[in-house]
DNA sequence: TTGTTTATAAACCAATTGGTTGACTAAAAA
DNA sequence: TTTTTAGTCAACCAATTGGTTTATAAACAA
């Protein structure tokens, strides 16, 4: 369960760690598109773009429908929320906590203080 | 320049696409820590954790100071902001845009409508 | 000086990633 | 029916990732 959500975060962040896939998302934010349409701006084979779409799909960042022989891809913005939710847990670290921590660190090092377990 | 920021986004998202590195960030959100301290909860060599920290460092998600023979690692929350900034551009896609797009898509497909270039 | 602690570097390995090409399926059009 | 369009599958390849072990460096302690 924890490793499940871990795995979903893995896939989602990994999916965004590629400029091609980010451009695909940017395109899809303006509406759905077919594989051929998505592939057109890129100097790479349609198969390669198809693979990128599969990566996005397995990360649940996009979904697909049926439309004759076309398989329109559309963005699922809900998944992006999950990513910002994770990030938001850590990005608001206070200035106060950030200043003069090495003093605190020294204290911990000297006294060997070990704390509670971290989460995901 | 565009490819620079692309590269920075690549590294940052890639850095977060690993549960070990996310746990390191969670730990660092409570204050800086040494490599040994960060490595302690994991069943893996200190060297492996050191590599993970380097990945985070090259993504500018963490920085390091000097403290005798210790190299305390601390979180740089500013970088996390850059990631949410990117995501926020696309996560607010409206319901209205999302509904009945395949109709629009059909129109585009028939008329071969090709639009402006996507950004990063 | 010698030894201990903290951390990195280098060499290596298995698994994954991102791309290619060629063959194939399915739906629609002629 | 045959042909075209849209897309996936499979095999392959080079480069990268995530881990290991061994060796090394740098700062402190005795």
């Amino acid at each position: 369960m924890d490793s499940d959500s871990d795995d979903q975060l893995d896939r989602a962040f990994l999916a965004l760690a590629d400029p091609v896939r980010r451009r695909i998302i940017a395109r899809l934010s303006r509406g759905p598109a077919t594989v051929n349409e998505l592939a057109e701006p890129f100097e790479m084979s349609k198969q390669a773009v198809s693979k990128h779409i599969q990566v996005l799909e397995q990360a649940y960042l996009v979904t697909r429908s049926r439309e004759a022989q076309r398989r329109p891809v559309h963005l699922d913005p809900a998944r992006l929320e999950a990513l910002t939710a994770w990030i938001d847990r850590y990005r608001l670290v206070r200035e106060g906590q950030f200043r003069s921590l090495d003093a605190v660190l020294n204290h911990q090092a000297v006294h060997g203080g070990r704390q509670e377990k971290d989460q995901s």
Side-chain angles (χ1 to χ4, degrees), chain A:
Chain A
M1 186 191 202
D2 205 327
S3 57
D4 271 0
S5 74
D6 259 25
D7 193 52
Q8 291 207 21
L9 282 175
D10 286 359
R11 293 182 194 216
F13 279 125
L14 186 65
L16 295 186
D18 183 291
V20 171
R21 289 191 293 259
R22 284 198 306 275
R23 282 185 62 190
I24 289 174
I25 287 190
R27 167 65 187 81
L28 291 176
S29 75
R30 301 202 310 276
T34 65
V35 174
N36 276 327
E37 288 173 323
L38 292 171
E40 200 260 2
F42 297 103
E43 289 178 352
M44 93 181 48
S45 70
K46 181 177 57 170
Q47 288 92 329
V49 172
S50 186
K51 281 193 188 180
H52 280 298
I53 293 169
Q54 286 180 43
V55 171
L56 291 168
E57 200 174 9
Q58 283 167 12
Y60 301 106
L61 288 166
V62 305
T63 56
R64 326 195 57 173
S65 51
R66 259 276 170 215
E67 180 87 36
Q69 73 271 56
R70 272 160 257 120
R71 307 285 318 278
V73 184
H74 17 96
L75 187 61
D76 181 358
R79 280 293 149 179
L80 292 173
E81 306 275 3
L83 299 186
T84 53
W86 187 90
I87 294 176
D88 285 347
R89 285 156 69 189
Y90 307 112
R91 74 189 183 115
L92 300 174
V93 175
R94 297 132 304 258
E95 263 294 316
Q97 181 178 345
F98 205 49
R99 246 184 299 104
S100 79
L101 288 143
D102 297 34
V104 178
L105 178 63
N106 273 340
H107 182 78
Q108 289 182 337
V110 166
H111 294 77
R114 186 115 323 285
Q115 304 107 311
E116 74 281 18
K117 253 175 72 182
D118 300 353
Q119 71 269 50
S120 138

